[in-house]
Amino acid sequence: MRLPLIRPAELSPRQRALYDAFDGMVEADEYTGFEVRNAEGAFVGPWGVMLHFPDLAQPLGRFVDLVQRLPGLSERARQVVILSIGGRFNVAYEMYAHARLASRAGLRPDQVATLCTGGRSSGLTEEDVLAADVATALIAGGPVPGPLYDTAVETLGQEAFDAIVFITIHYLALGTLLNAYDVPAGSPSSGN
């Protein structure tokens, strides 16, 4: 990583408050199975980057929290969107962490692998395919094609379409941070 990881003893008071907030967040079950802190207690991945920018991390964190609570989309389709973005932009940590979450959400290893290469996997549900199509259209530039918008809203509902849009924004932002500072995939881990 291009930025140094910040060990707990090196935190400024503003960083300490953010570290403590991250610490509480990563205790959730969804964060098990991949590395979020190293052996010295320093956060890795997006948390390791955001600790360098506490004034920006707080509003970004609030946005992320709100996006994660959006209704309308299954966890499986959510992971399809995230891996589609991570695969398209080759975001190492994003693919590393979300490959595990996608597996938990019911995607097969071959489906995860294909999404991580920017491809379209076989055996996806209609919701998965539409979610991937909308995310892919958003990152391709220009408006989402009218027929795709109409089909997605008619099939999945407006809430699901909106969730796809904001999940895409969320992971484009995090992916940009991770790639800018060349954040590697974490180590295989069974805990935090």
Side-chain angles (χ1 to χ4, degrees):
M1 183 163 114
R2 292 180 175 133
L3 294 172
L5 295 178
I6 304 171
R7 293 187 304 256
E10 302 166 335
L11 296 166
S12 72
R14 287 189 0 245
Q15 289 170 325
R16 170 51 74 183
L18 193 56
Y19 183 97
D20 291 345
F22 291 162
D23 196 43
M25 177 179 60
V26 300
E27 292 304 315
D29 288 342
E30 70 185 280
Y31 295 97
T32 59
F34 56 92
E35 184 182 32
V36 296
R37 282 184 295 263
N38 69 13
E40 297 177 313
F43 275 102
V44 300
W47 306 279
V49 173
M50 290 192 293
L51 278 172
H52 287 272
F53 309 100
D55 291 339
L56 295 171
Q58 289 180 345
L60 179 59
R62 177 75 176 125
F63 174 78
V64 166
D65 183 53
L66 291 171
V67 170
Q68 289 178 333
R69 296 171 192 239
L70 288 174
L73 199 63
S74 72
E75 182 59 26
R76 179 184 161 109
R78 197 175 284 269
Q79 294 303 322
V80 167
V81 170
I82 295 164
L83 289 177
S84 295
I85 295 162
R88 166 63 178 83
F89 293 104
N90 195 26
V91 185
Y93 190 90
E94 207 165 272
M95 291 186 293
Y96 154 77
H98 286 277
R100 285 146 181 81
L101 295 172
S103 177
R104 288 185 214 161
L107 289 164
R108 299 185 318 256
D110 63 300
Q111 292 172 318
V112 170
T114 300
L115 289 166
C116 285
T117 64
R120 174 64 55 77
S121 182
S122 63
L124 295 176
T125 67
E126 183 178 30
E127 179 189 33
D128 297 341
V129 169
L130 284 170
D133 286 348
V134 170
T136 300
L138 288 167
I139 61 180
V144 171
L148 175 57
Y149 174 85
D150 293 342
T151 301
V153 170
E154 182 179 305
T155 305
L156 304 177
Q158 188 67 52
E159 278 186 339
F161 180 85
D162 298 341
I164 296 164
V165 170
F166 285 99
I167 292 165
T168 300
I169 294 167
H170 168 189
Y171 282 92
L172 283 172
L174 285 183
T176 300
L177 279 173
L178 293 167
N179 279 347
Y181 299 104
D182 197 18
V183 176
S187 300
S189 171
S190 60
N192 295 344

